[in-house]
Amino acid sequence: MPLDEGGLILRDSEASRAPILDVRNVTRVFGRGETRVYALRGATLSVGAGSLIALKGRSGSGKTTLLNIMGALDAPSEGAVFYGGRDGSRMSEQQKNEMRKKEIGLIFQSFALVPYLSAFENVELGLRIAGAPASDRKRLAEEALSFVGLAQRMHHRPQELSGGEQQRTAIARAIAHKPKLILADEPTAELDSRMGKQIIEVFRELVGTLGVSVVLTTHDPHIMNLVDQVHALEDGRIGSDTIKRV
Ligand SMILES: Nc1ncnc2c1ncn2[C@@H]1O[C@H](COP(=O)(O)OP(=O)(O)OP(=O)(O)O)[C@@H](O)[C@H]1O
């Protein structure tokens, strides 16, 4: 019987059946008194293995807050989050850090690449932070950059790459350590529609070939047509117009 890091004992069948991420009735409140803001009010979402999911919603609807909680960068005020069956509230900060480094890949809108490092060096730095052994880093970085179609451009710095290539470098950095879950906050917002579509194709291939799950936020209706599920956030709730395509 596997003993998970949070100390919960799971039966084999339960462990394999558990969604990779389960957000249950999560409320997140910021501030106190008159400045109190409910960023999430009872949001529930389950992410199965190998799914490509979009979160949509107007500005301030709680998308980034939900993504941060999914990535264990933030914790709910009420409700529960289970990471692969592990109850987040029973995990220490160190356990969450380890999980984040090994099991989750984060991609931000602004790419967050180090400007004076090449694409390869940016990905290698990410692997170093994730604790990948030195002997594996070169191979893993090259594999990830080839996967996103940057084998020929990996020794260029971000400023010598197009917006789409920079975003693909950020994806390579997020996938190089082979996480189970990728969380991407508006990954296509700064790209034109053709490049945005290419990025979704990279995610689609990750989901199809490696069984990774991707949750992204977007305002773009074209992107929503390309994913498996679209969940609408409205005033901190996951609304009834959730569309499921699978
Ligand atoms: N650290 C914080 N302190 C106080 N209020 C916050 C904090 N983070 C978010 N909020 C508030 O919570 C609400 C939800 O914010 P969030 O960033 O999750 O929305 P969003 O849907 O991602 O918006 P956008 O599309 O503009 O990025 C907003 O009203 C925001 O002002």
Side-chain angles (χ1 to χ4, degrees), residues 52-54 167-168 171 184 186-188 191 193-208 214 216-218 220 222-228:
L52 179 49
I53 297 176
Q167 189 56 296
R168 280 188 274 151
I171 295 175
E186 306 234 16
T188 61
L191 306 176
S193 58
R194 187 181 55 86
M195 280 189 195
K197 200 167 168 231
Q198 280 178 13
I199 295 301
I200 301 299
E201 279 162 10
V202 171
F203 286 147
R204 168 68 58 209
E205 204 175 332
L206 270 173
V207 168
V214 178
L216 58 92
T217 64
T218 186
D220 183 344
H222 296 110
I223 300 295
M224 291 170 210
N225 281 329
L226 301 171
V227 302
D228 300 328

PDB file of all heavy atoms in Angstrom, residues 52-54 167-168 171 184 186-188 191 193-208 214 216-218 220 222-228:
ATOM      1  N   LEU A  52      -6.750  18.549 -21.036  1.00  0.00           N
ATOM      2  CA  LEU A  52      -6.384  19.920 -21.412  1.00  0.00           C
ATOM      3  C   LEU A  52      -7.583  20.807 -21.075  1.00  0.00           C
ATOM      4  O   LEU A  52      -8.644  20.703 -21.690  1.00  0.00           O
ATOM      5  CB  LEU A  52      -6.056  19.956 -22.912  1.00  0.00           C
ATOM      6  CG  LEU A  52      -5.665  21.283 -23.548  1.00  0.00           C
ATOM      7  CD1 LEU A  52      -4.594  22.013 -22.742  1.00  0.00           C
ATOM      8  CD2 LEU A  52      -5.128  21.046 -24.962  1.00  0.00           C
ATOM      9  N   ILE A  53      -7.406  21.635 -20.045  1.00  0.00           N
ATOM     10  CA  ILE A  53      -8.526  22.376 -19.458  1.00  0.00           C
ATOM     11  C   ILE A  53      -8.267  23.881 -19.520  1.00  0.00           C
ATOM     12  O   ILE A  53      -7.157  24.327 -19.206  1.00  0.00           O
ATOM     13  CB  ILE A  53      -8.709  21.956 -17.980  1.00  0.00           C
ATOM     14  CG1 ILE A  53      -9.079  20.470 -17.906  1.00  0.00           C
ATOM     15  CG2 ILE A  53      -9.755  22.815 -17.272  1.00  0.00           C
ATOM     16  CD1 ILE A  53      -9.185  19.917 -16.497  1.00  0.00           C
ATOM     17  N   ALA A  54      -9.278  24.637 -19.920  1.00  0.00           N
ATOM     18  CA  ALA A  54      -9.156  26.105 -19.890  1.00  0.00           C
ATOM     19  C   ALA A  54     -10.080  26.665 -18.812  1.00  0.00           C
ATOM     20  O   ALA A  54     -11.197  26.183 -18.624  1.00  0.00           O
ATOM     21  CB  ALA A  54      -9.532  26.689 -21.250  1.00  0.00           C
ATOM     22  N   GLN A 167       7.825  31.807 -25.601  1.00  0.00           N
ATOM     23  CA  GLN A 167       6.815  31.081 -24.829  1.00  0.00           C
ATOM     24  C   GLN A 167       7.092  29.582 -24.889  1.00  0.00           C
ATOM     25  O   GLN A 167       6.919  28.877 -23.901  1.00  0.00           O
ATOM     26  CB  GLN A 167       5.402  31.422 -25.336  1.00  0.00           C
ATOM     27  CG  GLN A 167       4.267  30.896 -24.481  1.00  0.00           C
ATOM     28  CD  GLN A 167       4.332  31.330 -23.026  1.00  0.00           C
ATOM     29  OE1 GLN A 167       5.262  30.986 -22.298  1.00  0.00           O
ATOM     30  NE2 GLN A 167       3.349  32.091 -22.588  1.00  0.00           N
ATOM     31  N   ARG A 168       7.561  29.092 -26.063  1.00  0.00           N
ATOM     32  CA  ARG A 168       7.888  27.667 -26.153  1.00  0.00           C
ATOM     33  C   ARG A 168       9.091  27.323 -25.261  1.00  0.00           C
ATOM     34  O   ARG A 168       9.168  26.235 -24.702  1.00  0.00           O
ATOM     35  CB  ARG A 168       8.136  27.263 -27.604  1.00  0.00           C
ATOM     36  CG  ARG A 168       6.803  27.060 -28.334  1.00  0.00           C
ATOM     37  CD  ARG A 168       6.980  26.473 -29.691  1.00  0.00           C
ATOM     38  NE  ARG A 168       7.244  27.505 -30.686  1.00  0.00           N
ATOM     39  CZ  ARG A 168       7.953  27.333 -31.799  1.00  0.00           C
ATOM     40  NH1 ARG A 168       8.496  26.160 -32.041  1.00  0.00           N
ATOM     41  NH2 ARG A 168       8.106  28.314 -32.643  1.00  0.00           N
ATOM     42  N   ILE A 171       7.700  26.933 -21.933  1.00  0.00           N
ATOM     43  CA  ILE A 171       7.038  25.622 -21.822  1.00  0.00           C
ATOM     44  C   ILE A 171       8.092  24.527 -21.629  1.00  0.00           C
ATOM     45  O   ILE A 171       7.948  23.643 -20.784  1.00  0.00           O
ATOM     46  CB  ILE A 171       6.156  25.337 -23.057  1.00  0.00           C
ATOM     47  CG1 ILE A 171       5.000  26.341 -23.115  1.00  0.00           C
ATOM     48  CG2 ILE A 171       5.622  23.905 -23.027  1.00  0.00           C
ATOM     49  CD1 ILE A 171       4.138  26.229 -24.361  1.00  0.00           C
ATOM     50  N   ALA A 184      -0.748  27.092 -16.481  1.00  0.00           N
ATOM     51  CA  ALA A 184      -0.283  28.186 -17.327  1.00  0.00           C
ATOM     52  C   ALA A 184      -1.250  29.365 -17.243  1.00  0.00           C
ATOM     53  O   ALA A 184      -2.428  29.237 -17.578  1.00  0.00           O
ATOM     54  CB  ALA A 184      -0.165  27.689 -18.771  1.00  0.00           C
ATOM     55  N   GLU A 186      -2.558  32.555 -18.643  1.00  0.00           N
ATOM     56  CA  GLU A 186      -2.640  33.289 -19.909  1.00  0.00           C
ATOM     57  C   GLU A 186      -1.417  33.058 -20.801  1.00  0.00           C
ATOM     58  O   GLU A 186      -0.752  34.011 -21.207  1.00  0.00           O
ATOM     59  CB  GLU A 186      -2.790  34.789 -19.619  1.00  0.00           C
ATOM     60  CG  GLU A 186      -3.958  35.045 -18.690  1.00  0.00           C
ATOM     61  CD  GLU A 186      -4.942  36.043 -19.238  1.00  0.00           C
ATOM     62  OE1 GLU A 186      -4.889  36.316 -20.441  1.00  0.00           O
ATOM     63  OE2 GLU A 186      -5.767  36.521 -18.448  1.00  0.00           O
ATOM     64  N   PRO A 187      -1.122  31.802 -21.130  1.00  0.00           N
ATOM     65  CA  PRO A 187       0.113  31.518 -21.877  1.00  0.00           C
ATOM     66  C   PRO A 187       0.112  32.051 -23.294  1.00  0.00           C
ATOM     67  O   PRO A 187       1.171  32.136 -23.912  1.00  0.00           O
ATOM     68  CB  PRO A 187       0.175  29.995 -21.875  1.00  0.00           C
ATOM     69  CG  PRO A 187      -1.248  29.556 -21.766  1.00  0.00           C
ATOM     70  CD  PRO A 187      -1.906  30.582 -20.885  1.00  0.00           C
ATOM     71  N   THR A 188      -1.063  32.410 -23.829  1.00  0.00           N
ATOM     72  CA  THR A 188      -1.099  32.870 -25.218  1.00  0.00           C
ATOM     73  C   THR A 188      -1.453  34.351 -25.319  1.00  0.00           C
ATOM     74  O   THR A 188      -1.600  34.875 -26.421  1.00  0.00           O
ATOM     75  CB  THR A 188      -2.133  32.050 -26.027  1.00  0.00           C
ATOM     76  OG1 THR A 188      -3.419  32.240 -25.435  1.00  0.00           O
ATOM     77  CG2 THR A 188      -1.811  30.575 -26.025  1.00  0.00           C
ATOM     78  N   LEU A 191       0.606  36.627 -27.601  1.00  0.00           N
ATOM     79  CA  LEU A 191       0.953  36.061 -28.907  1.00  0.00           C
ATOM     80  C   LEU A 191      -0.164  36.303 -29.910  1.00  0.00           C
ATOM     81  O   LEU A 191      -1.332  36.421 -29.539  1.00  0.00           O
ATOM     82  CB  LEU A 191       1.169  34.551 -28.757  1.00  0.00           C
ATOM     83  CG  LEU A 191       2.180  34.119 -27.695  1.00  0.00           C
ATOM     84  CD1 LEU A 191       2.220  32.606 -27.599  1.00  0.00           C
ATOM     85  CD2 LEU A 191       3.562  34.664 -28.025  1.00  0.00           C
ATOM     86  N   SER A 193      -2.691  35.057 -33.046  1.00  0.00           N
ATOM     87  CA  SER A 193      -3.534  33.861 -32.988  1.00  0.00           C
ATOM     88  C   SER A 193      -2.821  32.626 -33.542  1.00  0.00           C
ATOM     89  O   SER A 193      -3.002  31.514 -33.044  1.00  0.00           O
ATOM     90  CB  SER A 193      -4.858  34.098 -33.709  1.00  0.00           C
ATOM     91  OG  SER A 193      -4.605  34.446 -35.033  1.00  0.00           O
ATOM     92  N   ARG A 194      -1.945  32.827 -34.549  1.00  0.00           N
ATOM     93  CA  ARG A 194      -1.240  31.668 -35.116  1.00  0.00           C
ATOM     94  C   ARG A 194      -0.279  31.072 -34.080  1.00  0.00           C
ATOM     95  O   ARG A 194      -0.230  29.863 -33.857  1.00  0.00           O
ATOM     96  CB  ARG A 194      -0.464  32.116 -36.370  1.00  0.00           C
ATOM     97  CG  ARG A 194       0.170  30.982 -37.145  1.00  0.00           C
ATOM     98  CD  ARG A 194       0.934  31.540 -38.351  1.00  0.00           C
ATOM     99  NE  ARG A 194       1.926  32.547 -37.974  1.00  0.00           N
ATOM    100  CZ  ARG A 194       3.168  32.264 -37.586  1.00  0.00           C
ATOM    101  NH1 ARG A 194       3.581  31.010 -37.547  1.00  0.00           N
ATOM    102  NH2 ARG A 194       4.006  33.219 -37.254  1.00  0.00           N
ATOM    103  N   MET A 195       0.466  31.953 -33.411  1.00  0.00           N
ATOM    104  CA  MET A 195       1.414  31.474 -32.398  1.00  0.00           C
ATOM    105  C   MET A 195       0.669  30.881 -31.207  1.00  0.00           C
ATOM    106  O   MET A 195       1.099  29.883 -30.630  1.00  0.00           O
ATOM    107  CB  MET A 195       2.298  32.623 -31.924  1.00  0.00           C
ATOM    108  CG  MET A 195       3.426  32.928 -32.866  1.00  0.00           C
ATOM    109  SD  MET A 195       4.517  34.102 -32.076  1.00  0.00           S
ATOM    110  CE  MET A 195       5.480  34.650 -33.465  1.00  0.00           C
ATOM    111  N   GLY A 196      -0.464  31.504 -30.847  1.00  0.00           N
ATOM    112  CA  GLY A 196      -1.276  30.981 -29.746  1.00  0.00           C
ATOM    113  C   GLY A 196      -1.726  29.558 -30.033  1.00  0.00           C
ATOM    114  O   GLY A 196      -1.665  28.682 -29.178  1.00  0.00           O
ATOM    115  N   LYS A 197      -2.129  29.340 -31.292  1.00  0.00           N
ATOM    116  CA  LYS A 197      -2.581  28.012 -31.699  1.00  0.00           C
ATOM    117  C   LYS A 197      -1.426  26.994 -31.618  1.00  0.00           C
ATOM    118  O   LYS A 197      -1.609  25.857 -31.189  1.00  0.00           O
ATOM    119  CB  LYS A 197      -3.134  28.097 -33.128  1.00  0.00           C
ATOM    120  CG  LYS A 197      -4.020  26.972 -33.464  1.00  0.00           C
ATOM    121  CD  LYS A 197      -4.813  27.228 -34.738  1.00  0.00           C
ATOM    122  CE  LYS A 197      -5.440  25.919 -35.156  1.00  0.00           C
ATOM    123  NZ  LYS A 197      -5.224  25.545 -36.517  1.00  0.00           N
ATOM    124  N   GLN A 198      -0.238  27.456 -32.032  1.00  0.00           N
ATOM    125  CA  GLN A 198       0.934  26.562 -31.962  1.00  0.00           C
ATOM    126  C   GLN A 198       1.216  26.129 -30.522  1.00  0.00           C
ATOM    127  O   GLN A 198       1.579  24.990 -30.260  1.00  0.00           O
ATOM    128  CB  GLN A 198       2.175  27.278 -32.500  1.00  0.00           C
ATOM    129  CG  GLN A 198       2.254  27.289 -34.012  1.00  0.00           C
ATOM    130  CD  GLN A 198       3.480  28.064 -34.498  1.00  0.00           C
ATOM    131  OE1 GLN A 198       4.381  28.380 -33.713  1.00  0.00           O
ATOM    132  NE2 GLN A 198       3.505  28.395 -35.772  1.00  0.00           N
ATOM    133  N   ILE A 199       1.057  27.092 -29.592  1.00  0.00           N
ATOM    134  CA  ILE A 199       1.310  26.781 -28.178  1.00  0.00           C
ATOM    135  C   ILE A 199       0.305  25.720 -27.697  1.00  0.00           C
ATOM    136  O   ILE A 199       0.671  24.763 -27.014  1.00  0.00           O
ATOM    137  CB  ILE A 199       1.197  28.071 -27.313  1.00  0.00           C
ATOM    138  CG1 ILE A 199       2.294  29.074 -27.697  1.00  0.00           C
ATOM    139  CG2 ILE A 199       1.227  27.747 -25.824  1.00  0.00           C
ATOM    140  CD1 ILE A 199       3.704  28.599 -27.550  1.00  0.00           C
ATOM    141  N   ILE A 200      -0.958  25.884 -28.101  1.00  0.00           N
ATOM    142  CA  ILE A 200      -1.969  24.896 -27.693  1.00  0.00           C
ATOM    143  C   ILE A 200      -1.653  23.537 -28.321  1.00  0.00           C
ATOM    144  O   ILE A 200      -1.845  22.489 -27.696  1.00  0.00           O
ATOM    145  CB  ILE A 200      -3.403  25.358 -28.084  1.00  0.00           C
ATOM    146  CG1 ILE A 200      -3.723  26.692 -27.423  1.00  0.00           C
ATOM    147  CG2 ILE A 200      -4.450  24.306 -27.703  1.00  0.00           C
ATOM    148  CD1 ILE A 200      -3.699  26.709 -25.909  1.00  0.00           C
ATOM    149  N   GLU A 201      -1.109  23.549 -29.548  1.00  0.00           N
ATOM    150  CA  GLU A 201      -0.725  22.277 -30.181  1.00  0.00           C
ATOM    151  C   GLU A 201       0.376  21.579 -29.390  1.00  0.00           C
ATOM    152  O   GLU A 201       0.390  20.361 -29.257  1.00  0.00           O
ATOM    153  CB  GLU A 201      -0.292  22.511 -31.640  1.00  0.00           C
ATOM    154  CG  GLU A 201      -1.503  22.613 -32.554  1.00  0.00           C
ATOM    155  CD  GLU A 201      -1.194  23.262 -33.902  1.00  0.00           C
ATOM    156  OE1 GLU A 201      -0.010  23.475 -34.232  1.00  0.00           O
ATOM    157  OE2 GLU A 201      -2.169  23.571 -34.620  1.00  0.00           O
ATOM    158  N   VAL A 202       1.309  22.389 -28.858  1.00  0.00           N
ATOM    159  CA  VAL A 202       2.374  21.799 -28.012  1.00  0.00           C
ATOM    160  C   VAL A 202       1.744  21.171 -26.763  1.00  0.00           C
ATOM    161  O   VAL A 202       2.062  20.038 -26.383  1.00  0.00           O
ATOM    162  CB  VAL A 202       3.428  22.869 -27.614  1.00  0.00           C
ATOM    163  CG1 VAL A 202       4.395  22.306 -26.578  1.00  0.00           C
ATOM    164  CG2 VAL A 202       4.194  23.367 -28.830  1.00  0.00           C
ATOM    165  N   PHE A 203       0.803  21.887 -26.140  1.00  0.00           N
ATOM    166  CA  PHE A 203       0.118  21.342 -24.954  1.00  0.00           C
ATOM    167  C   PHE A 203      -0.633  20.061 -25.321  1.00  0.00           C
ATOM    168  O   PHE A 203      -0.608  19.074 -24.592  1.00  0.00           O
ATOM    169  CB  PHE A 203      -0.880  22.355 -24.379  1.00  0.00           C
ATOM    170  CG  PHE A 203      -0.254  23.508 -23.652  1.00  0.00           C
ATOM    171  CD1 PHE A 203      -0.835  24.773 -23.673  1.00  0.00           C
ATOM    172  CD2 PHE A 203       0.921  23.346 -22.930  1.00  0.00           C
ATOM    173  CE1 PHE A 203      -0.269  25.838 -22.991  1.00  0.00           C
ATOM    174  CE2 PHE A 203       1.497  24.403 -22.235  1.00  0.00           C
ATOM    175  CZ  PHE A 203       0.898  25.654 -22.276  1.00  0.00           C
ATOM    176  N   ARG A 204      -1.311  20.092 -26.474  1.00  0.00           N
ATOM    177  CA  ARG A 204      -2.102  18.944 -26.917  1.00  0.00           C
ATOM    178  C   ARG A 204      -1.203  17.713 -27.063  1.00  0.00           C
ATOM    179  O   ARG A 204      -1.553  16.611 -26.670  1.00  0.00           O
ATOM    180  CB  ARG A 204      -2.779  19.318 -28.243  1.00  0.00           C
ATOM    181  CG  ARG A 204      -3.406  18.230 -29.014  1.00  0.00           C
ATOM    182  CD  ARG A 204      -4.612  17.602 -28.394  1.00  0.00           C
ATOM    183  NE  ARG A 204      -5.682  18.532 -28.134  1.00  0.00           N
ATOM    184  CZ  ARG A 204      -6.579  18.381 -27.143  1.00  0.00           C
ATOM    185  NH1 ARG A 204      -6.508  17.343 -26.326  1.00  0.00           N
ATOM    186  NH2 ARG A 204      -7.535  19.246 -26.965  1.00  0.00           N
ATOM    187  N   GLU A 205      -0.009  17.932 -27.625  1.00  0.00           N
ATOM    188  CA  GLU A 205       0.906  16.812 -27.827  1.00  0.00           C
ATOM    189  C   GLU A 205       1.424  16.276 -26.485  1.00  0.00           C
ATOM    190  O   GLU A 205       1.563  15.070 -26.298  1.00  0.00           O
ATOM    191  CB  GLU A 205       2.071  17.271 -28.705  1.00  0.00           C
ATOM    192  CG  GLU A 205       2.712  16.109 -29.422  1.00  0.00           C
ATOM    193  CD  GLU A 205       3.776  16.571 -30.392  1.00  0.00           C
ATOM    194  OE1 GLU A 205       3.666  17.708 -30.902  1.00  0.00           O
ATOM    195  OE2 GLU A 205       4.713  15.788 -30.611  1.00  0.00           O
ATOM    196  N   LEU A 206       1.654  17.211 -25.549  1.00  0.00           N
ATOM    197  CA  LEU A 206       2.100  16.802 -24.198  1.00  0.00           C
ATOM    198  C   LEU A 206       1.053  15.918 -23.535  1.00  0.00           C
ATOM    199  O   LEU A 206       1.375  14.895 -22.929  1.00  0.00           O
ATOM    200  CB  LEU A 206       2.232  18.042 -23.316  1.00  0.00           C
ATOM    201  CG  LEU A 206       3.556  18.756 -23.265  1.00  0.00           C
ATOM    202  CD1 LEU A 206       3.399  20.042 -22.476  1.00  0.00           C
ATOM    203  CD2 LEU A 206       4.601  17.866 -22.626  1.00  0.00           C
ATOM    204  N   VAL A 207      -0.199  16.345 -23.659  1.00  0.00           N
ATOM    205  CA  VAL A 207      -1.310  15.603 -23.063  1.00  0.00           C
ATOM    206  C   VAL A 207      -1.416  14.229 -23.734  1.00  0.00           C
ATOM    207  O   VAL A 207      -1.542  13.198 -23.067  1.00  0.00           O
ATOM    208  CB  VAL A 207      -2.634  16.408 -23.221  1.00  0.00           C
ATOM    209  CG1 VAL A 207      -3.842  15.559 -22.886  1.00  0.00           C
ATOM    210  CG2 VAL A 207      -2.600  17.654 -22.348  1.00  0.00           C
ATOM    211  N   GLY A 208      -1.310  14.226 -25.078  1.00  0.00           N
ATOM    212  CA  GLY A 208      -1.495  12.987 -25.838  1.00  0.00           C
ATOM    213  C   GLY A 208      -0.348  12.009 -25.689  1.00  0.00           C
ATOM    214  O   GLY A 208      -0.578  10.805 -25.557  1.00  0.00           O
ATOM    215  N   VAL A 214      -2.932  19.702 -18.427  1.00  0.00           N
ATOM    216  CA  VAL A 214      -2.634  21.133 -18.543  1.00  0.00           C
ATOM    217  C   VAL A 214      -3.878  21.916 -18.151  1.00  0.00           C
ATOM    218  O   VAL A 214      -4.977  21.627 -18.631  1.00  0.00           O
ATOM    219  CB  VAL A 214      -2.240  21.498 -19.997  1.00  0.00           C
ATOM    220  CG1 VAL A 214      -1.976  23.000 -20.114  1.00  0.00           C
ATOM    221  CG2 VAL A 214      -1.029  20.707 -20.461  1.00  0.00           C
ATOM    222  N   LEU A 216      -5.001  25.901 -18.120  1.00  0.00           N
ATOM    223  CA  LEU A 216      -4.560  27.235 -18.509  1.00  0.00           C
ATOM    224  C   LEU A 216      -5.702  28.222 -18.339  1.00  0.00           C
ATOM    225  O   LEU A 216      -6.871  27.847 -18.339  1.00  0.00           O
ATOM    226  CB  LEU A 216      -4.044  27.223 -19.948  1.00  0.00           C
ATOM    227  CG  LEU A 216      -4.999  26.755 -21.042  1.00  0.00           C
ATOM    228  CD1 LEU A 216      -5.769  27.928 -21.638  1.00  0.00           C
ATOM    229  CD2 LEU A 216      -4.221  26.066 -22.147  1.00  0.00           C
ATOM    230  N   THR A 217      -5.347  29.496 -18.181  1.00  0.00           N
ATOM    231  CA  THR A 217      -6.378  30.532 -18.164  1.00  0.00           C
ATOM    232  C   THR A 217      -6.310  31.276 -19.496  1.00  0.00           C
ATOM    233  O   THR A 217      -5.236  31.402 -20.091  1.00  0.00           O
ATOM    234  CB  THR A 217      -6.166  31.545 -17.016  1.00  0.00           C
ATOM    235  OG1 THR A 217      -4.946  32.239 -17.244  1.00  0.00           O
ATOM    236  CG2 THR A 217      -6.103  30.856 -15.669  1.00  0.00           C
ATOM    237  N   THR A 218      -7.455  31.704 -19.974  1.00  0.00           N
ATOM    238  CA  THR A 218      -7.477  32.442 -21.234  1.00  0.00           C
ATOM    239  C   THR A 218      -8.738  33.298 -21.362  1.00  0.00           C
ATOM    240  O   THR A 218      -9.751  33.013 -20.727  1.00  0.00           O
ATOM    241  CB  THR A 218      -7.385  31.478 -22.442  1.00  0.00           C
ATOM    242  OG1 THR A 218      -7.266  32.252 -23.639  1.00  0.00           O
ATOM    243  CG2 THR A 218      -8.603  30.569 -22.565  1.00  0.00           C
ATOM    244  N   ASP A 220      -9.370  34.066 -24.680  1.00  0.00           N
ATOM    245  CA  ASP A 220      -9.458  33.945 -26.131  1.00  0.00           C
ATOM    246  C   ASP A 220     -10.424  32.819 -26.548  1.00  0.00           C
ATOM    247  O   ASP A 220     -10.156  31.637 -26.298  1.00  0.00           O
ATOM    248  CB  ASP A 220      -8.029  33.667 -26.657  1.00  0.00           C
ATOM    249  CG  ASP A 220      -7.972  33.601 -28.158  1.00  0.00           C
ATOM    250  OD1 ASP A 220      -9.037  33.457 -28.803  1.00  0.00           O
ATOM    251  OD2 ASP A 220      -6.864  33.687 -28.698  1.00  0.00           O
ATOM    252  N   HIS A 222     -10.936  31.483 -29.384  1.00  0.00           N
ATOM    253  CA  HIS A 222     -10.329  30.511 -30.308  1.00  0.00           C
ATOM    254  C   HIS A 222      -9.609  29.417 -29.526  1.00  0.00           C
ATOM    255  O   HIS A 222      -9.647  28.242 -29.885  1.00  0.00           O
ATOM    256  CB  HIS A 222      -9.326  31.209 -31.241  1.00  0.00           C
ATOM    257  CG  HIS A 222      -9.984  32.203 -32.124  1.00  0.00           C
ATOM    258  ND1 HIS A 222      -9.805  33.555 -31.965  1.00  0.00           N
ATOM    259  CD2 HIS A 222     -10.853  32.041 -33.148  1.00  0.00           C
ATOM    260  CE1 HIS A 222     -10.534  34.187 -32.866  1.00  0.00           C
ATOM    261  NE2 HIS A 222     -11.181  33.293 -33.595  1.00  0.00           N
ATOM    262  N   ILE A 223      -8.942  29.829 -28.456  1.00  0.00           N
ATOM    263  CA  ILE A 223      -8.215  28.861 -27.630  1.00  0.00           C
ATOM    264  C   ILE A 223      -9.223  27.919 -26.956  1.00  0.00           C
ATOM    265  O   ILE A 223      -9.016  26.710 -26.883  1.00  0.00           O
ATOM    266  CB  ILE A 223      -7.360  29.592 -26.556  1.00  0.00           C
ATOM    267  CG1 ILE A 223      -6.336  30.528 -27.213  1.00  0.00           C
ATOM    268  CG2 ILE A 223      -6.701  28.595 -25.602  1.00  0.00           C
ATOM    269  CD1 ILE A 223      -5.274  29.881 -28.023  1.00  0.00           C
ATOM    270  N   MET A 224     -10.359  28.480 -26.508  1.00  0.00           N
ATOM    271  CA  MET A 224     -11.368  27.646 -25.828  1.00  0.00           C
ATOM    272  C   MET A 224     -11.885  26.542 -26.745  1.00  0.00           C
ATOM    273  O   MET A 224     -12.275  25.474 -26.284  1.00  0.00           O
ATOM    274  CB  MET A 224     -12.529  28.519 -25.349  1.00  0.00           C
ATOM    275  CG  MET A 224     -12.120  29.430 -24.214  1.00  0.00           C
ATOM    276  SD  MET A 224     -13.416  30.611 -23.886  1.00  0.00           S
ATOM    277  CE  MET A 224     -12.457  31.996 -23.297  1.00  0.00           C
ATOM    278  N   ASN A 225     -11.874  26.790 -28.069  1.00  0.00           N
ATOM    279  CA  ASN A 225     -12.332  25.775 -29.020  1.00  0.00           C
ATOM    280  C   ASN A 225     -11.342  24.631 -29.177  1.00  0.00           C
ATOM    281  O   ASN A 225     -11.680  23.607 -29.762  1.00  0.00           O
ATOM    282  CB  ASN A 225     -12.545  26.407 -30.399  1.00  0.00           C
ATOM    283  CG  ASN A 225     -13.852  27.140 -30.459  1.00  0.00           C
ATOM    284  OD1 ASN A 225     -14.804  26.745 -29.795  1.00  0.00           O
ATOM    285  ND2 ASN A 225     -13.897  28.220 -31.211  1.00  0.00           N
ATOM    286  N   LEU A 226     -10.112  24.825 -28.698  1.00  0.00           N
ATOM    287  CA  LEU A 226      -9.067  23.833 -28.953  1.00  0.00           C
ATOM    288  C   LEU A 226      -8.795  22.923 -27.756  1.00  0.00           C
ATOM    289  O   LEU A 226      -7.967  22.032 -27.833  1.00  0.00           O
ATOM    290  CB  LEU A 226      -7.758  24.553 -29.340  1.00  0.00           C
ATOM    291  CG  LEU A 226      -7.824  25.450 -30.577  1.00  0.00           C
ATOM    292  CD1 LEU A 226      -6.546  26.270 -30.722  1.00  0.00           C
ATOM    293  CD2 LEU A 226      -8.037  24.593 -31.829  1.00  0.00           C
ATOM    294  N   VAL A 227      -9.481  23.169 -26.635  1.00  0.00           N
ATOM    295  CA  VAL A 227      -9.192  22.387 -25.425  1.00  0.00           C
ATOM    296  C   VAL A 227     -10.298  21.358 -25.170  1.00  0.00           C
ATOM    297  O   VAL A 227     -11.324  21.356 -25.853  1.00  0.00           O
ATOM    298  CB  VAL A 227      -9.012  23.317 -24.192  1.00  0.00           C
ATOM    299  CG1 VAL A 227      -7.885  24.316 -24.427  1.00  0.00           C
ATOM    300  CG2 VAL A 227     -10.313  24.042 -23.855  1.00  0.00           C
ATOM    301  N   ASP A 228     -10.090  20.482 -24.184  1.00  0.00           N
ATOM    302  CA  ASP A 228     -11.077  19.430 -23.890  1.00  0.00           C
ATOM    303  C   ASP A 228     -12.228  19.949 -23.031  1.00  0.00           C
ATOM    304  O   ASP A 228     -13.362  19.519 -23.182  1.00  0.00           O
ATOM    305  CB  ASP A 228     -10.403  18.281 -23.122  1.00  0.00           C
ATOM    306  CG  ASP A 228      -9.275  17.660 -23.906  1.00  0.00           C
ATOM    307  OD1 ASP A 228      -9.377  17.632 -25.142  1.00  0.00           O
ATOM    308  OD2 ASP A 228      -8.297  17.220 -23.289  1.00  0.00           O
TER     309      ASP A 228
END
